[in-house]
Amino acid sequence: MLELKHIYKWVNTGNNRTFLLKDINLTINEGEFVSIMGPSGSGKSTLLNIIGMLDGFNEGEYNFMHESVHQLKEKQRSSLYKQYIGFVFQAYHLIDELTVYENIETPLLYQDIKSSERKAMVADILDRFQIVGKKDLFPTQLSGGQQQLVGIARALIARPKLLLADEPTGNLNSKQGEEIMELFSTLNKEGMTIIQVTHSEKNADYGSRVIHLLDGMIEKK
Amino acid sequence: MLKNYFKIAWRHLLKHKTTSFINITGLSIAMAASVLIFLWVHNELSFDNYHKETSSVYRITSHINIGKQEPLVWETTPYLLGEKAKSELPAILQVARIRARLYDPVNVNVKGEYIKEPNTAYIDSGWLRMFDYKFVTGNTRDFDSDPTAVLITESVSKKYFGHTNAVGEKLRIDTVDFVVKAVMEDVPNNSSFRYDMLFPIATYRINTRNRQNDEQWGNYNYLTFVRLRPGVGVAAAEKQLTNLMNKERERADLAQSLLPLKDLRFETTLANSVLQHTSKKVVYIFSVLGAILLLIACINYVNLTTARALQRVKEVSIRKIAGAERQQLLWQFIAESALMSFISLLVALLLIRLALPAFNAFTEKNFALNFANSGWWLILGGTLLGSIILTSIYPAILLSSFEPLAIFKGRNVMRIRDTWLRKSLVVVQFTVSIFLIVSTIVIYRQLNFINSQRAAYDQSRVFVMDIPYQVFRGKTPEQRAAITAAIHTGLKTETSVREVSLISQESVVDMRGGSSGDSNDWDGRDKDFKPMIAFLGVDSSFKNILNLQLKEGRWFLSDNAADKHNSILNETAIREFGIQEPVIGKRFTSQGDTGVIIGVVKDFFYKSMHEKIGPVVIRDDQEYNSTFLVQTASGRTKEATARAESVWKKFIPNLPFEYKFTSEEFDKLYRDDRRTATLIWMFSAIAILISCLGLLGLAAHTAERRSKEVGIRKVLGASVVQLVNLLSKEFLLLVILAAAIATPISWWAMTSWLDNFAYRVDLVWWVFLVATAVSMLVALCTVGFQALRAAMANPVNSLRAE
């Protein structure tokens, strides 16, 4: 599905060059559930953002679904992730002014999907996540677990091929976290490719493969 | 999608109530003011454009050469020119003439009571064909040929008949019964021809003498409008008219030019006009001021929105990650501005509704909230669009520019240039405010200066009573003298009247006319020196009424027959004529009558302070004097006017009693100036209010943003005063910067305004200081309140949150 070759990313501070990522080589196939682990500052989130095309890199090649991402223009890149990638965040990042229903609907609005079709898609996912009763509530009226559920529903609504999750359970208690990981595992079984960043060995165990990062480099495969 | 935009805009509006309140309050007040101004501007710019043939209609202007001086420019032309032009000139398709009834005003006789109709005119048969009138009832078929026909407006119809269907009704004017032929709609706000009653020219020409007057090429009494044949150039038509005039007059000292009808309203160069005019410059200045008010309010929205941009970073990032294109976000923020503007416009409409009566009284117009009128839609739409554009462009561009990753980066996404821009915009607001405050103070000082003129004598106790020309028509000088003497005695014997003087001028605060020429002479005059001189015929009691001060010599004595030939001059006359000391006793010939100078009166204001005091020659010559200047006894003014009315009724029973207090005339003289003062005052009040609202919002934001810093400083031992100082300083610096910019601009603008006056106050430096101090004080109160609140807060609260 995607392939990273000799990816470097750095920032210049004065005369020093600090490497965030160094010579990353990584291939992820469709249907995998990969966990990225590592201490703070090891470059996990940076790597995830590069995979998600939210962030660029300084050197190397990135192929995604037979497209050379490093050669694409900003606009093409964004239409690519718009089509194939869903994001889940540690802090949920729901829009406070929108209801649960509207938050989930947002990605569809930007894909020119007809109103009736949108309604059906959102209804489906609400049903599936068993949050139909919460659809008219605002994010602040929900618990953390419920908010993350909405966040995942929003990430999945446009039927992406790849789900990127940056510490999805970081803000949740263990029971809520478990539920989310169970959900991920179900999704993976249904064919969804998932890459998650996590601190927890337990969460990493839900995945099929673990990548350890240290100081911007992949430690072992 | 659009629905979604507006939904979230609405929720933001409700969530941030203070910001929304500030935005809507400021914007709606500014919009209301701007819409009213634009309404007036639109009306001025659309003057006389509603006639079908407006674009091909011109008014003939006469330029008469009088030797070395500038030619006289008149808006009038002889009656005969219209006749001849119609029949002889190929360039002219149609002619229309009008003659305002200035010298034979209409006095409607209602059961013996006379009511004066001030706005009436005679029109020729071409008038109704060239200009569009909307008739409610009746028709004008046999109007032209019927000397007892009259057309009236709905208002006049209601006034005399109680309804608008007055066709066929009789209206008694003086002693003649006129028949209403048709009732027309009231004169539109944008018409130069503000006549409520129109008479056919046949009414005027039924009188033999009038007709003879009309048949002379030297009498310029008509406004003549022509419609040019299609394809004819203006220059060609002007040439034909000039040639025709000069041929008929057998002279070559005159030129005729054509003024397009649409420029008639802006013809401000005439010395005299029967129509009202507005300067185009004034129209432009007010449109700019209206736009500036709107701009100031829009600045608030821009500042408050961008200051709070941080709170929108997350949303923008999420939306981008969810697949939003920048353009889609741009539209979302534009929709937010649009919603805010639209709500403000609705509030503004409410304000306009409330303010409209006062506005109409102020502008002497008849505007109404009328949505059938396309002008309203144009103005409201334009204001809304202008406000949307001004409020949306920058915030939308800024807010939609955040990269998706900004969500993780927090505060540092707000770049420095944005605070810089906000500060510049605050400076703009306060520059305008300070400019307007300076203008207000200067204008009021000038008006005060003008009013100090009133101190010379109590104007509210002095009124003029002009005996109408009709009373003397066909009378011998002896008969005239007998009439005025009788009235004089009648007034003088009243105990409520203190002093009466019979004078030649209709007004003592706005003296018109004057003459130059050979009829004045004195020793040492250069033969070519023919200055314009104002003549004032008075009697012995005049000096005391106006409390004139003599510089030397004496006033006229009532029992001195020789004084009939003597003159009193003002200081300016002595100086300009170059009369050598000793002045008293020097020969002075005035209007062909020779006597000596018996006195020099100190210069006094006899016309508007806009004009310089010129040479005045005062004579004790009663023959043609027909205006009574009456000074009432202190505290008995009402009684005196009542007495004057009964004297009038006794001697002039068939004309309405008319009198004017000099204080009223004086006020009228500076009406435009006082209007400007009121407008500028209101402008500055609104500008300051809106600017402070914006400052309040910004200060609140700053206090919030710096709450952690304030907390740390407080823990480290900073006092409340030091903290308030810290938070207020940057805003005060902005006001000082604004003052630095506003000072030269307002200095220039006020100098040009004061130059309109021949007598003016000096532009003193402290005016600028006061304006700056006022702005700083207001700004300090606004900011200080927020700063104090932040400084007094418990530092634990702000630090715990981190």
Side-chain angles (χ1 to χ4, degrees):
Chain A
M1 176 175 236
L2 64 88
E3 187 181 30
L4 300 174
K5 282 186 199 163
H6 308 296
I7 296 286
Y8 286 83
K9 185 173 175 68
W10 62 75
V11 285
N12 292 328
T13 39
N15 289 330
N16 294 328
R17 177 169 285 183
T18 314
F19 284 90
L20 301 176
L21 293 176
K22 239 186 222 172
D23 195 24
I24 300 287
N25 291 288
L26 181 63
T27 308
I28 289 170
N29 297 313
E30 238 179 298
E32 278 198 272
F33 184 172
V34 178
S35 302
I36 302 173
M37 295 193 73
S40 290
S42 59
K44 304 183 301 285
S45 295
T46 311
L47 179 59
L48 197 72
N49 288 336
I50 287 175
I51 293 172
M53 298 172 221
L54 298 178
D55 210 350
F57 45 92
N58 300 89
E59 230 178 85
E61 283 181 29
Y62 176 19
N63 297 310
F64 181 84
M65 306 283 286
H66 314 296
E67 299 263 12
S68 305
V69 175
H70 53 279
Q71 287 168 347
L72 293 180
K73 292 205 184 77
E74 177 64 41
K75 213 161 184 170
Q76 295 166 308
R77 215 178 299 166
S78 73
S79 80
L80 198 62
Y81 77 65
K82 198 158 133 180
Q83 195 181 347
Y84 293 112
I85 304 177
F87 296 88
V88 175
F89 306 96
Q90 175 177 359
Y92 332 126
H93 289 332
L94 301 177
I95 299 176
D96 294 336
E97 286 77 17
L98 298 182
T99 62
V100 165
Y101 181 96
E102 290 158 351
N103 262 294
I104 296 173
E105 187 191 24
T106 304
L108 302 180
L109 287 173
Y110 296 119
Q111 294 188 4
D112 295 329
I113 292 170
K114 272 198 233 72
S115 165
S116 55
E117 208 176 325
R118 287 204 306 261
K119 240 178 226 166
M121 290 167 83
V122 177
D124 270 357
I125 213 150
L126 284 170
D127 198 28
R128 173 164 178 200
F129 285 18
Q130 297 170 354
I131 45 175
V132 178
K134 308 263 189 280
K135 74 177 168 61
D136 292 324
L137 296 182
F138 286 91
T140 47
Q141 295 166 301
L142 300 176
S143 74
Q146 288 167 335
Q147 287 193 49
Q148 191 59 296
L149 221 48
V150 175
I152 295 168
R154 185 180 61 188
L156 295 177
I157 187 75
R159 296 184 182 133
K161 291 243 180 308
L162 174 64
L163 189 66
L164 298 180
D166 194 348
E167 302 201 35
T169 61
N171 284 12
L172 303 179
N173 62 35
S174 60
K175 187 172 170 286
Q176 289 170 332
E178 254 170 55
E179 279 169 18
I180 296 295
M181 289 323 293
E182 288 294 341
L183 178 61
F184 273 26
S185 159
T186 317
L187 288 169
N188 180 242
K189 280 184 192 119
E190 286 167 13
M192 175 73 65
T193 315
I194 298 174
I195 304 173
Q196 67 166 346
V197 164
T198 182
H199 276 298
S200 138
E201 293 281 356
K202 203 176 137 212
N203 286 351
D205 288 344
Y206 284 89
S208 51
R209 177 152 67 115
V210 179
I211 294 163
H212 287 276
L213 274 185
L214 187 67
D215 296 335
M217 286 188 290
I218 295 179
E219 246 188 350
K220 61 181 181 198
K221 274 198 184 169
Chain B
M1 195 61 147
L2 208 62
K3 201 178 113 200
N4 193 275
Y5 290 160
F6 282 113
K7 193 158 61 187
I8 191 154
W10 177 247
R11 288 188 192 152
H12 268 289
L13 201 90
L14 290 183
K15 195 168 170 194
H16 306 287
K17 289 198 179 65
T18 317
T19 315
S20 306
F21 174 79
I22 289 175
N23 280 328
I24 293 175
T25 308
L27 210 50
S28 52
I29 291 174
M31 274 181 167
S34 302
V35 165
L36 288 176
I37 293 163
F38 293 148
L39 196 61
W40 177 80
V41 168
H42 176 262
N43 185 62
E44 292 294 325
L45 293 179
S46 67
F47 249 81
D48 303 317
N49 74 350
Y50 62 91
H51 305 289
K52 263 197 299 299
E53 309 294 350
T54 295
S55 57
S56 57
V57 173
Y58 298 83
R59 210 271 329 283
I60 303 178
T61 312
S62 305
H63 306 258
I64 299 146
N65 271 316
I66 46 160
K68 284 174 199 161
Q69 282 108 319
E70 285 281 295
L72 298 172
V73 182
W74 291 343
E75 62 182 348
T76 46
T77 31
Y79 178 80
L80 290 175
L81 180 65
E83 296 295 301
K84 287 274 180 186
K86 200 159 43 177
S87 56
E88 290 183 13
L89 299 186
I92 311 288
L93 194 64
Q94 251 180 303
V95 171
R97 281 162 296 182
I98 194 165
R99 180 193 175 112
R101 291 189 67 161
L102 291 180
Y103 303 106
D104 51 345
V106 171
N107 298 305
V108 180
N109 184 339
V110 182
K111 294 179 192 127
E113 285 288 320
Y114 286 96
I115 300 168
K116 185 170 174 174
E117 281 297 328
N119 301 313
T120 58
Y122 300 108
I123 55 173
D124 76 353
S125 57
W127 190 263
L128 295 174
R129 251 168 295 180
M130 191 178 288
F131 299 105
D132 297 354
Y133 284 86
K134 287 202 183 101
F135 291 100
V136 186
T137 50
N139 63 68
T140 58
R141 225 176 302 127
D142 49 357
F143 169 73
D144 295 326
S145 55
D146 182 353
T148 61
V150 63
L151 305 176
I152 61 175
T153 58
E154 286 182 283
S155 294
V156 170
S157 179
K158 274 188 205 135
K159 181 167 158 191
Y160 294 108
F161 307 109
H163 55 82
T164 58
N165 189 12
V167 175
E169 299 267 8
K170 286 199 171 76
L171 204 56
R172 174 163 287 212
I173 294 166
D174 294 322
T175 50
V176 182
D177 279 337
F178 283 78
V179 180
V180 176
K181 291 288 176 189
V183 177
M184 52 199 175
E185 283 184 6
D186 282 356
V187 183
N189 279 324
N190 59 348
S191 174
S192 287
F193 313 116
R194 314 214 61 79
Y195 302 110
D196 300 320
M197 280 182 156
L198 294 173
F199 297 85
I201 208 145
T203 312
Y204 178 76
R205 288 169 63 86
I206 202 164
N207 177 311
T208 322
R209 247 208 350 246
N210 288 349
R211 206 159 54 238
Q212 285 166 353
N213 259 329
D214 275 353
E215 304 304 321
Q216 289 174 20
W217 282 92
N219 285 336
Y220 294 73
N221 288 320
Y222 290 85
L223 298 188
T224 307
F225 291 83
V226 294
R227 198 179 136 211
L228 299 188
R229 201 171 287 282
V232 174
V234 172
E238 285 174 341
K239 206 167 154 203
Q240 289 181 13
L241 284 162
T242 303
N243 290 344
L244 176 69
M245 268 299 263
N246 285 332
K247 190 186 91 195
E248 293 294 340
R249 293 166 66 246
E250 295 168 354
R251 300 167 77 155
D253 57 355
L254 183 140
Q256 307 265 253
S257 66
L258 293 175
L259 179 81
L261 178 60
K262 63 177 172 40
D263 294 341
L264 190 63
R265 176 66 175 174
F266 305 110
E267 192 187 25
T268 46
T269 49
L270 294 172
N272 275 306
S273 176
V274 295
L275 306 176
Q276 286 177 0
H277 303 279
T278 307
S279 142
K280 223 169 195 163
K281 201 168 91 187
V282 170
V283 175
Y284 289 146
I285 288 175
F286 279 112
S287 1
V288 169
L289 280 176
I292 284 180
L293 274 192
L294 198 59
L295 177 75
I296 287 185
C298 290
I299 283 178
N300 277 356
Y301 181 86
V302 171
N303 274 350
L304 294 178
T305 310
T306 56
R308 309 192 82 90
L310 212 59
Q311 295 162 352
R312 306 299 296 269
V313 169
K314 182 179 138 192
E315 184 193 331
V316 171
S317 297
I318 296 169
R319 284 181 184 273
K320 282 203 170 168
I321 291 170
E325 306 275 342
R326 179 160 187 194
Q327 202 189 1
Q328 291 168 316
L329 291 172
L330 216 61
W331 282 113
Q332 184 192 329
F333 290 115
I334 291 173
E336 256 172 56
S337 304
L339 182 71
M340 181 73 70
S341 297
F342 186 72
I343 293 172
S344 304
L345 187 69
L346 292 183
V347 179
L349 276 175
L350 196 74
L351 294 176
I352 290 167
R353 222 192 126 81
L354 295 175
L356 210 51
F359 183 71
N360 278 336
F362 184 72
T363 54
E364 296 173 358
K365 292 274 188 315
N366 248 325
F367 296 116
L369 257 180
N370 175 9
F371 293 110
N373 183 336
S374 61
W376 271 101
W377 288 106
L378 186 76
I379 292 163
L380 293 177
T383 307
L384 182 65
L385 192 71
S387 142
I388 291 175
I389 290 173
L390 287 172
T391 53
S392 71
I393 287 184
Y394 182 71
I397 290 175
L398 177 81
L399 295 177
S400 64
S401 74
F402 299 132
E403 292 301 317
L405 271 188
I407 197 169
F408 307 116
K409 290 183 180 161
R411 289 198 169 162
N412 51 3
V413 288
M414 289 301 298
R415 276 144 294 181
I416 296 163
R417 68 181 163 92
D418 299 313
T419 34
W420 193 84
L421 181 102
R422 265 201 300 288
K423 284 179 181 172
S424 317
L425 291 177
V426 170
V427 171
V428 170
Q429 287 182 319
F430 273 89
T431 303
V432 173
S433 301
I434 293 173
F435 169 81
L436 288 170
I437 295 176
V438 169
S439 308
T440 308
I441 301 176
V442 172
I443 292 171
Y444 271 92
R445 268 172 53 82
Q446 174 67 17
L447 287 184
N448 249 341
F449 173 65
I450 289 171
N451 274 333
S452 67
Q453 233 196 89
R454 292 173 185 264
Y457 61 99
D458 188 352
Q459 291 181 334
S460 62
R461 272 176 56 205
V462 176
F463 66 88
V464 287
M465 190 173 106
D466 184 44
I467 308 304
Y469 164 73
Q470 293 101 304
V471 176
F472 300 123
R473 189 149 48 195
K475 300 277 196 302
T476 64
E478 287 74 27
Q479 286 168 320
R480 293 170 58 107
I483 295 171
T484 49
I487 296 174
H488 192 286
T489 313
L491 290 169
K492 188 72 197 183
T493 49
E494 295 297 339
T495 52
S496 57
V497 170
R498 204 168 143 243
E499 198 79 85
V500 180
S501 178
L502 181 61
I503 60 174
S504 65
Q505 291 276 354
E506 279 177 44
S507 169
V508 288
V509 294
D510 188 18
M511 262 168 64
R512 294 275 153 200
S515 69
S516 60
D518 278 322
S519 63
N520 304 289
D521 194 34
W522 55 90
D523 293 333
R525 181 177 75 98
D526 182 341
K527 286 287 161 263
D528 289 332
F529 183 57
K530 297 169 188 173
M532 282 297 282
I533 302 172
F535 288 100
L536 180 57
V538 299
D539 58 22
S540 56
S541 45
F542 180 78
K543 172 179 165 282
N544 292 335
I545 298 178
L546 286 204
N547 194 21
L548 297 182
Q549 306 296 316
L550 282 175
K551 194 175 161 226
E552 53 183 316
R554 61 171 177 86
W555 194 255
F556 301 110
L557 299 173
S558 55
D559 51 359
N560 186 339
D563 273 358
K564 295 279 173 236
H565 309 287
N566 294 337
S567 301
I568 294 173
L569 276 60
N570 70 349
E571 291 170 294
T572 304
I574 300 290
R575 197 172 56 244
E576 287 195 8
F577 298 169
I579 295 172
Q580 302 295 319
E581 291 289 341
V583 174
I584 304 303
K586 281 261 161 65
R587 174 185 76 91
F588 194 85
T589 303
S590 177
Q591 291 158 307
D593 183 28
T594 302
V596 295
I597 299 172
I598 57 164
V600 178
V601 67
K602 282 191 178 158
D603 276 346
F604 60 98
F605 289 103
Y606 58 89
K607 55 185 177 181
S608 159
M609 275 180 157
H610 285 283
E611 296 165 72
K612 263 206 131 39
I613 292 174
V616 178
V617 171
I618 306 170
R619 309 254 303 164
D620 182 9
D621 176 10
Q622 308 262 307
E623 196 175 337
Y624 290 101
N625 295 5
S626 61
T627 301
F628 285 98
L629 187 67
V630 183
Q631 184 181 42
T632 66
S634 184
R636 298 179 69 181
T637 302
K638 271 223 174 78
E639 199 183 330
T641 51
R643 294 299 182 169
E645 181 168 10
S646 65
V647 172
W648 178 290
K649 287 236 164 96
K650 189 169 159 202
F651 294 99
I652 318 168
N654 53 350
L655 288 175
F657 172 56
E658 274 188 87
Y659 68 101
K660 273 181 271 178
F661 274 95
T662 47
S663 53
E664 290 163 14
E665 287 183 280
F666 184 85
D667 285 340
K668 207 174 144 202
L669 211 50
Y670 302 103
R671 200 177 50 182
D672 283 349
D673 299 311
R674 269 182 293 115
R675 210 179 275 184
T676 310
T678 311
L679 265 179
I680 296 290
W681 187 87
M682 294 199 71
F683 273 145
S684 43
I686 294 175
I688 272 273
L689 174 77
I690 294 173
S691 304
C692 281
L693 271 176
L695 210 53
L696 188 74
L698 272 189
H701 170 75
T702 309
E704 192 184 309
R705 187 167 51 82
R706 297 175 73 172
S707 62
K708 188 182 165 195
E709 180 194 343
V710 169
I712 295 171
R713 283 177 188 271
K714 209 170 174 187
V715 169
L716 293 178
S719 72
V720 170
V721 176
Q722 284 166 326
L723 290 173
V724 169
N725 193 22
L726 174 83
L727 292 172
S728 318
K729 206 169 63 191
E730 63 173 274
F731 290 110
L732 291 186
L733 283 174
L734 297 183
V735 178
I736 291 172
L737 183 61
I741 300 171
T743 298
I745 301 175
S746 43
W747 186 85
W748 171 80
M750 281 300 103
T751 307
S752 353
W753 185 77
L754 285 173
D755 281 347
N756 282 321
F757 294 89
Y759 301 92
R760 42 167 279 194
V761 292
D762 289 326
L763 204 53
V764 286
W765 57 270
W766 59 258
V767 168
F768 300 98
L769 211 65
V770 167
T772 310
V774 167
S775 319
M776 278 186 63
L777 194 73
V778 177
L780 192 68
C781 290
T782 318
V783 176
F785 170 69
Q786 291 291 345
L788 198 65
R789 219 169 62 166
M792 305 259 278
N794 187 345
V796 175
N797 293 331
S798 58
L799 295 177
R800 190 168 44 198
E802 286 295 314

